[in-house]
């Protein structure tokens, strides 16, 4: 059985659906602060609670025959992490440590971790591979980076094997339309664009039009949420078949500017996007592009939805018919 922590959130719920369809036996732990009960498939038990709750973890590991933990739960608002770092260090790092300690106590040795390209900080080159130096520039990136360091030490000391997946910009929704992105507040570019199209927001603010990029707007590498789900399944498969601990970057190796995303969204929905130029957002690097050669070669990861049009089509479909 696989314990999925944060399985009711955006990325976690897509993994849960994917793994459930593959016949995996899952149990979800989520405190539903940002997660949605409706995002879970029928038949997957949800334990509502905090991952930092040691007694709850002990009871979970005693009650269920858990072989592996796939861990998505985290606060992920970069701006908030700067103004409220304590929340990020406590939840993303300290509570994760409680999970790892419970795994050690209960002799559960396989851990797949949602990491992030924010552990790298400002890019020194793109596409960014696993050898890129890590120097996070905000508490969110640091809170995940600390876990990466802890994982190395726990592998050495306790034989806890892990795979940390560092994603670039997660986007899109399940092609079925059943689940998708639903953050409150929403800060991500693609859902905000479609909400502006639908009139639930007045416009989309383009944060910075004077970057050193071809059209002056920031470039990001968008990766389909189901491709991320697939990578988690492959990572776990590798661990369960005896593979060693490692780190992998997940991106499509191709960058799109904010302006290019807006134009592609207009094409997908056939409607104009109301746009407003706005100042740069603090801490936004001009260009973030991932190199996933290692994940392709060593995990056998093959993105199914690498085209930006497909990612946007699924996001648009979800935005029009969302259930939560
Ligand atoms: N962005 C924007 N307007 C918005 C939200 C985001 O121009 O309302 C830009 C942001 O500056 C970045 C890109 O869109 O260059 C992607 O931002 P998002 O918050 O979706 O993801 P991030 O790259 O911060 O993880």
């Amino acid at each position: 059985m696989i314990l999925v922590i944060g399985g009711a959130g955006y990325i976690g719920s897509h993994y849960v659906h994917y793994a459930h369809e593959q016949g995996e036996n899952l149990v979800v732990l989520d405190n539903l602060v940002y997660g949605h009960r409706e995002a879970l498939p029928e038949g997957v038990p949800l334990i509502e609670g905090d991952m930092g709750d040691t007694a709850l973890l002990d009871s979970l590991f005693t009650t269920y025959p858990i072989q592996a933990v796939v861990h998505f739960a985290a606060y992920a608002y970069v701006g908030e992490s700067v103004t409220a770092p304590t929340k990020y260090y406590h939840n993303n790092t300290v509570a994760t440590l409680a999970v790892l300690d419970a795994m050690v106590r209960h002799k559960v040795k396989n851990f797949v971790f949602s990491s992030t390209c924010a552990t790298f900080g400002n890019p020194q080159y793109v596409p960014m591979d696993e050898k890129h130096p890590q120097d996070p520039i905000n508490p969110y990136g640091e809170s995940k980076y600390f876990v990466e360091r802890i994982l190395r030490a726990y592998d050495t000391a306790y034989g806890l094997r892990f795979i940390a997946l560092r994603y670039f910009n997660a986007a899109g929704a399940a092609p079925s339309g059943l689940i998708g992105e639903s953050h409150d507040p929403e800060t991500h570019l693609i859902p905000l664009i479609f909400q502006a199209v639908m009139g639930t927001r007045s416009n989309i603010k383009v944060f910075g039009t004077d970057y050193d990029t071809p059209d002056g707007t920031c470039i990001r590498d968008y990766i389909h949420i189901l491709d991320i789900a697939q990578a988690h399944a492959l990572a776990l498969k590798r661990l369960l078949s005896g593979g060693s601990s490692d780190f992998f970057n997940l991106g499509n190796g191709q960058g799109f500017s904010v302006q290019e995303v807006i134009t592609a969204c207009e094409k997908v929905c056939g409607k104009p996007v109301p746009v407003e130029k706005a100042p740069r957002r603090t801490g936004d690097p001009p260009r973030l592009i991932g190199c996933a050669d290692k994940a392709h070669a060593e995990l056998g990861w093959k993105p199914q939805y690498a085209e930006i049009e497909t990612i946007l089509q699924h996001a648009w479909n979800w935005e029009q018919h969302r259930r939560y």
Side-chain angles (χ1 to χ4, degrees):
M1 188 171 224
I2 304 166
L3 171 62
V4 187
I5 304 181
Y10 173 43
I11 304 176
S13 62
H14 285 77
Y15 169 73
V16 167
H17 277 257
Y18 183 91
H20 182 63
E21 278 162 26
Q22 293 207 326
E24 297 287 2
N25 199 7
L26 309 163
V27 55
V28 169
L29 171 65
D30 200 300
N31 61 10
L32 298 182
V33 169
Y34 289 117
H36 304 271
R37 195 183 293 278
E38 307 90 313
L40 292 173
E42 254 177 59
V44 173
L46 166 68
I47 311 301
E48 198 178 328
D50 280 315
M51 62 175 165
D53 181 341
T54 301
L56 175 61
L57 289 169
D58 279 335
S59 112
L60 268 172
F61 282 108
T62 316
T63 309
Y64 297 97
I66 295 165
Q67 267 184 298
V69 176
V70 182
H71 176 36
F72 296 94
Y75 293 137
Y77 292 110
V78 171
E80 184 189 54
S81 82
V82 175
T83 53
T86 182
K87 197 171 155 180
Y88 283 71
Y89 295 128
H90 274 286
N91 187 65
N92 297 3
T93 311
V94 177
T96 297
L97 196 56
V99 172
L100 297 175
D101 286 336
M103 289 178 67
V104 172
R105 276 198 303 283
H106 294 273
K107 301 187 173 47
V108 177
K109 303 265 183 189
N110 305 292
F111 188 72
V112 181
F113 178 56
S114 272
S115 192
T116 165
C117 66
T119 59
F120 291 119
N122 284 320
Q124 295 180 9
Y125 57 86
V126 292
M128 297 160 86
D129 57 15
E130 290 76 5
K131 295 193 183 80
H132 189 286
Q134 287 180 292
D135 188 11
I137 54 168
N138 51 59
Y140 167 67
E142 280 184 326
S143 70
K144 294 271 187 172
Y145 178 62
F146 294 154
V147 174
E148 286 197 1
R149 302 302 304 192
I150 292 166
L151 287 173
R152 283 177 205 256
Y154 272 44
D155 184 356
T156 307
Y158 310 123
L160 190 152
R161 283 172 317 117
F162 68 86
I163 287 184
L165 300 171
R166 303 177 182 134
Y167 344 123
F168 285 70
N169 286 57
S176 65
L178 274 179
I179 52 171
E181 186 162 13
S182 179
H183 295 114
D184 185 18
E186 187 54 80
T187 60
H188 293 114
L189 179 66
I190 294 169
L192 291 179
I193 291 175
F194 286 131
Q195 288 167 18
V197 169
M198 295 185 61
T200 38
R201 293 177 192 269
S202 52
N203 57 36
I204 178 77
K205 291 184 177 52
V206 175
F207 295 148
T209 50
D210 58 350
Y211 282 99
D212 184 15
T213 57
D215 64 20
T217 65
C218 279
I219 293 175
R220 294 288 179 274
D221 183 349
Y222 296 90
I223 164 172
H224 197 287
I225 194 79
L226 270 194
D227 288 333
I228 294 182
Q230 182 210 143
H232 283 75
L234 292 168
L236 187 54
K237 191 170 145 206
R238 168 173 148 142
L239 287 176
L240 293 175
S241 57
S244 53
S245 297
D246 216 336
F247 302 88
F248 294 93
N249 292 358
L250 299 182
N252 282 315
Q254 212 190 336
F256 293 91
S257 73
V258 172
Q259 187 51 57
E260 284 171 332
V261 173
I262 291 172
T263 306
C265 285
E266 288 182 327
K267 237 187 230 165
V268 160
C269 67
K271 293 178 186 165
V273 176
V275 169
E276 185 187 311
K277 287 185 184 177
R280 292 182 179 197
R281 193 171 65 175
T282 316
D284 264 343
R287 213 181 279 265
L288 282 174
I289 302 171
C291 169
D293 289 353
K294 185 176 166 189
H296 298 150
E298 296 183 28
L299 291 179
W301 182 56
K302 289 192 195 72
Q304 304 288 301
Y305 308 104
E307 300 297 321
I308 190 79
E309 291 78 15
T310 314
I311 295 174
L312 297 178
Q313 185 64 58
H314 293 165
W316 172 233
N317 183 39
W318 166 251
E319 202 55 56
Q320 294 172 97
H321 309 289
R322 48 197 290 168
R323 298 187 303 125
Y324 52 85

